C-alpha cells in the first residue's frame, strides 16, 4: 500500500544552559552528565512539511519528462493558440495539426528543441513563435526499506531527493545507520549517502534526485561511541571507519572554552563482560600519537572542565572602582591593583589596612597591618608590598568624611531654601543664616521633621498595630468556635469586618517624624533645649499665624472655626453642636499646634482648670473620641487602642476609628 508523506507534530527542544554558561554562572561541577543521545536522529523530529520539495520553482534544462508531467505550449504570430498537454502513460502528447509526439525520456531542454523542430515542418519560424513551459509535475513512487521508522512505498513529487524521502518516512530508526544510506535503481546502487557529511559539513552533493521505483535502503547502524562533558555537542556518534579520540572530538564540534586538557577518561566494555577505564590527557594530542587512543564500539569519552580558582584580592574603600582584582601571588603589588581600580579618590586617607589569612596546621591565622598610601604610590618597597590571593585591602577615607549634609527651611523666614550644614551646627545657626523670621511668622506652629525620627515612629506604630491584629484575630477565632446559633455566627462575621476596617485605617496612618520644639526669637532661642543639633535631611517650616481651630471626633458637626482668643474648649465644642451620645468626654484631648497633646485625664491643675475650660492657640485641634464600649469586641482591647492613639499623636498623625 502506498503511503503519502505525512506531517508529524514538531517537538520543541528543551532550553538548557551550555557548559560554558554553567561555568560562568558557577554551576558546573566535576560530575559529567552522560544523558546524551545518538547524534542526528532528532533532525527527523521536525515537521515533515518543512522538508517537502517545492513544486513552484523553474524546471531546469536537465529535468527528465515522464508520464503525468504537464506541458504548456503557447503559439503567437500567424497562429495564436495555447495548448496544455499532459504526457500520458505511453510517454506521448497530442497537439492539433501536428499529431502525436513521443516525449518520455527527453530532458526539458531536448523537449523544447524537439517541439520547435516539429513546428517548423508546418510553419516558418518567422511566422509563428513558440514558448514551452512546465505546468503541474508528475508524482513518483519510491520504496524505503531497512532500519527506517516507517518503511513502505511513498508517493512523492518528481522533484524529491533522497533527503525529502527520508523525512517522509520519519528518518532512520536508532538501529539504522546514518553513515551509509543507499539508493538502488534497476538493481544497481547509484549512491552511498553519508548524512554526517550533510549535518556536520553541509555537503549535499550526494543527495540525488529520485526516479520512479527507486529503492532507499538503510542498513543497520555501525559502531557507536559516546562523548560527554565539555565538547560543543556531546552525543553518541556512529563511526564509519576506525576513529580516534581526536576525530570524535572534532565530530562533537571541538572542545568548549572551559574544557580541561589535563584529563580525559575513556570507559570501555571488554569482551561484553566488564567495563574498564583509561585515563589520559589532551595536551599536544595532535603531535603525540600515543595519546590519540583508537576507539571501538561502545566506548564513552569524558571531557572534564577546568577547576575554577579564585586568584583574587579584594580592594574596598576610597578608590574609584572597588572590587575583586586578579593577583599573581608574590608578583602583583598593592600599587598595581590601586591603579587598576582607577586610583585613589580625592577624599582618601593616607592610611590603609591590609588583612591577610594564612593557613597553619592549627587553623587559619589572621594578620592585619597598616599601610602608608603615600609611600605605596611612591613605590616604596616597604609599603608597596606584593599581594597574596585572598588579601583584603581597605582604603580609608579622611575622618568624618561626607560630601554635603543638607537641611531645608521654608515658610516665614527671610531667605528660605536648602542649606548645607557642618557637623555640630544647630537650629539657631540656621535661623541666623536664613536672615531671621518675617513679621508674619507664627513660632508656636513651627513644624520640625527628622527622617531618623520618622523611621522610629513608623516602626513603633507598625509594631503596635501588629500586636492589636494578633489580639483581635485570636479573640475572633475563639469566639467563632463557640458560636452556637446562626445569629451569633453572623455577629461574629460583622465583628470581623469591623476589625479589618479598623486595622486597615490604622495601617494607613504614616508617621511624619515630627519633633515638638518650642520656638522663640533668635536672641532667646540660642542655647535652649529646642536649639537642636541638625542632621542631614532635617526640614523646618515656619507657618503664618493660622486663623482657625479644628474640632473633630464624636461631635455633631466636625469642622473648623475662626479662632477667638477668648473662647474655651467647651465653647468650640458647643459651636460644633456639642458632643454626641457616643462621645467619651473623659478621653477628650487637644492636639496643640506645636505637636504636643493635652488630655482631659491629665491633672486638673494643668492650666488651673479642667480641659473644657482651657483656652486654645490658633491652629489647635480638639479631638472628641467615641466610646469604645459601644462596640462590644473593642471593650477588651480598650487599653491597647488607647496606646495606639497615643502613638499616633506622637507620630503627628490622627486616627479616627469611627
Amino acid at each position: 500500500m502506498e503511503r503519502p508523506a505525512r506531517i508529524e507534530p514538531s517537538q520543541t527542544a528543551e532550553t538548557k544552559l551550555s557548559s560554558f554558561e554553567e561555568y560562568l554562572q558557577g554551576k558546573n561541577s566535576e560530575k559529567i552528565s552522560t544523558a546524551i543521545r545518538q547524534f542526528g536522529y532528532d533532525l527527523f523530529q521536525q515537521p515533515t512539511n518543512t522538508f517537502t520539495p517545492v513544486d513552484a520553482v523553474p524546471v531546469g534544462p536537465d529535468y527528465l519528462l515522464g508520464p503525468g508531467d504537464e506541458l504548456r505550449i503557447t503559439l503567437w504570430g500567424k497562429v495564436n493558440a495555447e495548448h496544455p498537454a499532459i504526457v500520458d502513460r505511453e510517454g506521448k502528447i497530442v497537439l492539433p495539426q501536428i499529431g502525436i509526439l513521443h516525449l518520455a525520456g527527453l530532458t526539458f531542454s531536448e523537449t523544447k528543441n524537439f517541439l520547435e523542430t516539429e513546428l517548423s515542418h508546418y510553419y516558418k519560424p518567422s511566422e509563428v513563435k513558440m514558448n514551452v513551459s512546465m505546468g503541474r509535475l508528475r508524482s513518483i513512487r519510491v520504496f524505503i526499506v531497512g532500519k527506517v521508522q516507517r518503511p513502505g512505498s511513498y508517493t512523492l513529487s518528481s522533484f524529491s531527493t533522497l533527503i525529502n524521502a527520508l523525512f517522509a518516512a520519519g528518518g532512520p530508526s536508532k538501529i539504522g545507520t546514518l553513515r551509509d544510506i543507499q539508493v538502488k535503481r534497476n538493481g544497481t546502487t547509484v549512491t552511498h549517502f553519508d548524512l554526517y557529511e550533510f549535518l556536520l559539513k553541509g555537503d549535499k552533493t550526494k543527495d540525488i534526485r529520485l526516479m520512479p521505483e527507486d529503492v532507499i535502503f538503510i542498513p543497520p547502524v555501525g559502531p557507536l561511541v559516546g562523548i560527554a562533558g565539555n565538547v560543543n555537542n556531546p552525543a553518541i556518534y556512529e563511526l564509519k571507519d576506525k576513529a580516534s579520540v581526536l576525530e570524535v572530538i572534532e565530530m562533537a564540534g571541538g572542545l568548549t572554552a572551559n574544557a580541561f586538557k589535563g584529563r580525559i577518561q575513556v570507559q570501555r566494555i571488554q569482551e561484553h563482560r566488564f567495563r574498564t577505564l583509561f585515563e589520559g590527557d589532551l595536551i599536544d594530542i595532535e603531535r603525540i600519537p600515543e595519546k590519540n587512543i583508537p576507539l571501538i564500539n561502545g566506548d564513552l569519552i569524558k571531557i572534564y572542565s577546568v577547576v575554577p580558582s579564585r586568584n583574587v584580592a579584594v580592594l574596598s574603600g576610597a578608590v574609584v572602582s572597588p572590587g575583586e582584582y586578579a593577583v599573581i601571588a608574590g608578583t602583583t603589588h598593592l600599587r598595581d591593583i590601586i591603579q587598576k581600580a582607577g586610583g585613589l579618590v580625592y577624599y582618601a586617607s593616607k592610611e590603609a589596612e591590609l588583612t591577610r589569612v594564612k593557613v597553619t596546621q592549627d587553623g587559619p591565622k589572621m594578620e592585619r597591618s597598616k599601610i602608608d598610601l603615600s609611600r605605596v604610590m611612591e613605590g616604596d618597597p616597604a609599603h608597596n608590598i606584593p599581594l597574596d590571593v585572598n588579601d583584603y585591602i581597605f582604603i580609608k577615607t579622611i575622618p568624618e568624611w561626607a560630601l554635603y549634609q543638607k537641611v531645608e527651611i521654608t515658610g516665614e523666614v527671610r531667605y528660605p531654601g536648602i542649606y548645607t550644614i557642618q557637623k555640630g551646627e544647630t537650629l539657631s545657626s540656621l535661623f541666623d543664616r536664613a536672615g531671621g523670621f518675617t513679621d508674619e511668622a507664627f513660632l508656636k506652629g513651627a513644624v520640625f521633621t527628622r527622617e531618623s525620627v520618622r523611621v522610629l515612629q513608623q516602626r513603633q506604630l507598625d509594631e503596635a498595630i501588629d500586636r492589636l491584629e494578633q489580639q483581635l484575630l485570636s479573640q475572633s477565632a475563639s469566639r467563632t468556635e463557640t458560636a452556637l446559633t446562626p445569629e451569633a455566627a453572623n455577629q461574629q462575621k460583622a465583628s470581623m469586618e469591623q476589625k479589618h476596617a479598623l486595622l486597615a485605617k490604622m495601617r494607613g496612618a504614616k508617621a511624619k517624624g515630627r519633633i515638638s520644639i518650642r520656638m522663640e526669637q533668635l536672641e532667646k532661642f540660642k542655647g535652649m533645649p529646642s536649639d537642636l543639633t541638625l542632621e542631614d535631611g532635617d526640614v523646618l517650616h515656619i507657618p503664618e499665624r493660622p486663623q482657625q481651630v479644628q474640632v473633630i471626633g464624636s461631635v455633631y458637626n466636625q469642622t473648623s472655626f475662626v479662632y477667638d482668643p477668648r473662647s474655651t474648649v467647651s465653647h468650640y465644642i458647643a459651636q460644633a453642636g456639642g458632643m454626641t451620645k457616643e462621645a467619651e468626654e473623659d478621653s477628650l484631648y487637644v492636639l496643640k499646634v506645636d505637636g504636643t497633646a493635652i488630655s482631659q485625664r491629665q491633672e486638673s491643675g494643668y492650666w488651673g482648670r479642667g480641659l473644657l475650660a482651657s483656652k486654645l492657640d490658633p491652629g489647635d485641634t480638639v479631638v472628641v473620641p467615641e466610646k469604645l464600649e459601644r462596640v462590644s469586641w473593642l471593650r477588651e482591647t480598650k487599653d491597647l487602642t488607647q496606646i495606639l492613639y497615643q502613638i499616633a499623636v506622637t507620630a503627628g498623625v490622627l486616627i479616627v476609628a469611627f
Side-chain angles (χ1 to χ4, degrees):
M1 187 177 89
E2 294 187 358
R3 297 187 181 181
R6 66 175 183 174
I7 300 174
E8 295 292 335
S10 63
Q11 297 184 1
T12 304
E14 295 182 1
T15 302
K16 63 178 183 178
L17 298 178
S18 69
S19 63
F20 191 58
E21 288 173 324
E22 291 178 343
Y23 171 74
L24 294 180
Q25 296 180 23
K27 296 180 179 179
N28 65 326
S29 63
E30 285 295 314
K31 186 176 180 180
I32 293 179
S33 172
T34 54
I36 53 178
R37 298 186 177 187
Q38 286 179 240
F39 173 75
Y41 293 88
D42 55 352
L43 176 67
F44 299 99
Q45 295 175 358
Q46 301 298 324
T48 306
N49 62 343
T50 304
F51 300 91
T52 300
V54 180
D55 291 335
V57 295
V59 173
D62 60 344
Y63 178 75
L64 201 64
L65 267 70
D69 285 334
E70 181 185 22
L71 289 173
R72 293 176 180 174
I73 304 169
T74 305
L75 304 176
W76 70 92
K78 188 175 181 180
V79 176
N80 293 313
E82 183 172 340
H83 302 291
I86 298 178
V87 181
D88 63 17
R89 293 185 178 181
E90 296 178 0
K92 65 181 187 298
I93 64 172
V94 179
L95 293 179
Q97 298 181 358
I98 297 177
I100 297 174
L101 300 175
H102 290 270
L103 302 179
L106 298 180
T107 66
F108 180 56
S109 175
E110 292 171 341
T111 299
K112 292 176 68 176
N113 294 333
F114 176 71
L115 291 174
E116 288 175 354
T117 302
E118 290 296 319
L119 184 66
S120 67
H121 295 160
Y122 301 92
Y123 302 103
K124 293 180 180 180
S126 60
E127 294 177 341
V128 178
K129 302 293 183 182
M130 182 182 68
N131 179 65
V132 180
S133 63
M134 295 295 300
R136 183 170 57 87
L137 302 179
R138 72 185 186 278
S139 297
I140 62 174
R141 183 178 67 170
V142 298
F143 300 90
I144 307 176
V145 295
K147 308 303 180 182
V148 65
Q149 293 285 1
R150 296 186 296 274
S153 65
Y154 286 83
T155 301
L156 305 171
S157 163
S158 59
F159 265 1
S160 296
T161 65
L162 171 57
I163 289 181
N164 300 137
L166 289 175
F167 275 100
S173 67
K174 292 208 173 174
I175 59 173
T177 182
L178 298 183
R179 307 298 306 268
D180 185 25
I181 300 172
Q182 303 170 16
V183 177
K184 299 179 183 292
R185 183 174 298 160
N186 298 324
T188 303
T189 301
V190 295
T191 189
H192 292 265
F193 183 64
D194 186 351
L195 196 58
Y196 275 32
E197 295 293 322
F198 173 56
L199 295 175
L200 297 177
K201 301 178 182 178
D203 184 358
K204 198 170 175 285
T205 55
K206 293 187 177 181
D207 180 28
I208 63 171
R209 183 176 294 175
L210 299 175
M211 300 295 291
E213 303 303 310
D214 277 354
V215 176
I216 300 171
F217 175 66
I218 301 177
V221 69
L224 298 176
V225 170
I227 182 168
N230 290 274
V231 289
N232 287 308
N233 190 18
I236 300 170
Y237 292 89
E238 180 183 354
L239 304 182
K240 192 172 184 180
D241 300 308
K242 292 183 179 180
S244 61
V245 168
L246 193 57
E247 291 169 331
V248 173
I249 291 175
E250 289 174 354
M251 278 196 290
L255 301 175
T256 62
N258 56 306
F260 179 52
K261 283 192 170 185
R263 181 188 181 194
I264 180 177
Q265 185 181 87
V266 179
Q267 296 181 4
R268 175 166 296 173
I269 300 172
Q270 293 280 27
E271 300 176 0
H272 297 277
R273 291 188 299 171
F274 57 90
R275 185 176 66 178
T276 60
L277 297 177
F278 298 94
E279 293 282 351
D281 63 66
L282 297 173
I283 300 172
D284 295 329
I285 188 173
E286 300 87 352
R287 297 188 295 104
I288 305 176
E290 294 79 11
K291 294 185 178 182
N292 196 14
I293 305 171
L295 300 173
I296 64 174
N297 187 26
D299 282 355
L300 172 64
I301 306 168
K302 289 185 177 182
I303 307 295
Y304 290 84
S305 172
V306 296
V307 179
S309 59
R310 289 178 52 84
N311 58 323
V312 297
V314 178
L315 182 63
S316 67
V319 290
V320 174
S321 182
E324 294 183 346
Y325 288 87
V327 297
I328 301 175
T331 301
T332 305
H333 290 71
L334 179 55
R335 185 174 67 172
D336 298 335
I337 67 167
I338 292 177
Q339 291 174 341
K340 290 178 182 178
L344 302 172
V345 296
Y346 65 92
Y347 52 86
S349 169
K350 292 183 179 181
E351 185 177 303
E353 183 179 83
L354 171 67
T355 303
R356 176 171 294 170
V357 176
K358 290 189 174 182
V359 178
T360 69
Q361 293 303 311
D362 297 327
K365 182 180 179 182
M366 184 175 293
E367 298 178 351
R368 292 190 181 93
S369 56
K370 291 183 178 180
I371 298 172
D372 187 340
L373 286 177
S374 61
R375 306 284 291 277
V376 169
M377 303 312 291
E378 292 172 357
D380 186 342
H383 294 268
N384 186 29
I385 59 176
L387 297 175
D388 282 343
V389 174
N390 296 324
D391 279 354
Y392 183 89
I393 305 101
F394 174 57
I395 309 297
K396 300 179 181 179
T397 61
I398 59 175
E400 300 181 1
W401 164 255
L403 182 59
Y404 291 117
Q405 290 188 345
K406 295 175 287 186
V407 297
E408 184 176 7
I409 183 169
T410 62
E412 297 302 315
V413 292
R414 295 189 181 277
Y415 306 111
I418 298 175
Y419 290 80
T420 60
I421 60 171
Q422 59 185 2
K423 186 175 181 180
E425 192 166 353
T426 62
L427 269 174
S428 58
S429 172
L430 178 62
F431 296 152
D432 190 31
R433 294 167 63 189
F437 308 114
T438 66
D439 295 338
E440 301 298 324
F442 183 59
L443 299 183
K444 282 188 177 182
V447 179
F448 181 74
T449 57
R450 176 166 286 175
E451 177 61 20
S452 60
V453 174
R454 186 199 66 77
V455 172
L456 176 62
Q457 291 174 344
Q458 190 65 52
R459 184 169 66 248
Q460 292 174 335
L461 187 59
D462 292 341
E463 290 174 353
I465 295 173
D466 289 341
R467 289 197 303 272
L468 176 61
E469 181 176 29
Q470 292 176 2
Q471 181 179 344
L472 295 180
L473 294 179
S474 175
Q475 292 174 356
S476 175
S478 61
R479 290 180 178 177
T480 301
E481 293 175 356
T482 57
L484 301 178
T485 64
E487 292 78 8
N490 290 334
Q491 289 177 354
Q492 289 299 322
K493 181 180 179 181
S495 172
M496 194 65 184
E497 292 175 352
Q498 290 178 331
K499 294 173 184 179
H500 284 303
L502 173 64
L503 292 171
K505 187 167 290 190
M506 287 182 171
R507 291 199 184 280
K510 300 300 179 184
K512 297 180 180 178
R514 182 175 180 180
I515 300 176
S516 177
I517 59 174
R518 182 178 178 182
M519 295 294 301
E520 298 285 353
Q521 291 297 329
L522 185 58
E523 58 275 7
K524 295 182 180 180
F525 185 71
K526 289 182 179 180
M528 290 181 59
S530 293
D531 189 12
L532 300 175
T533 301
L534 295 171
E535 292 182 7
D536 185 35
D538 286 349
V539 177
L540 177 66
H541 177 69
I542 306 296
E544 294 183 19
R545 183 180 180 85
Q547 303 295 319
Q548 79 286 338
V549 169
Q550 187 176 5
V551 181
I552 63 173
S554 192
V555 294
Y556 285 100
N557 181 27
Q558 300 183 77
T559 187
S560 297
F561 300 97
V562 176
Y563 172 70
D564 183 353
R566 297 169 296 176
S567 297
T568 62
V569 171
S570 61
H571 175 75
Y572 288 111
I573 292 176
Q575 283 187 300
M579 301 182 188
T580 65
K581 291 186 297 182
E582 290 79 17
E584 187 168 6
E585 183 176 344
D586 290 344
S587 298
L588 177 73
Y589 61 92
V590 174
L591 284 177
K592 301 295 292 178
V593 70
D594 63 0
T596 60
I598 307 298
S599 73
Q600 177 76 344
R601 295 182 178 180
Q602 289 179 307
E603 296 181 6
S604 60
Y606 183 83
W607 278 317
R609 294 175 296 172
L611 184 58
L612 288 171
S614 302
K615 293 184 179 181
L616 301 175
D617 291 319
D620 286 352
T621 300
V622 179
V623 183
V624 183
E626 194 167 342
K627 290 179 180 178
L628 297 179
E629 284 81 357
R630 188 171 71 91
V631 183
S632 59
W633 57 267
L634 278 176
R635 292 171 186 166
E636 291 146 2
T637 59
K638 181 176 178 181
D639 293 338
L640 185 53
T641 308
Q642 291 295 339
I643 292 173
L644 284 175
Y645 273 109
Q646 293 171 10
I647 293 175
V649 169
T650 305
V653 295
L654 288 175
I655 300 177
V656 182
F658 302 101

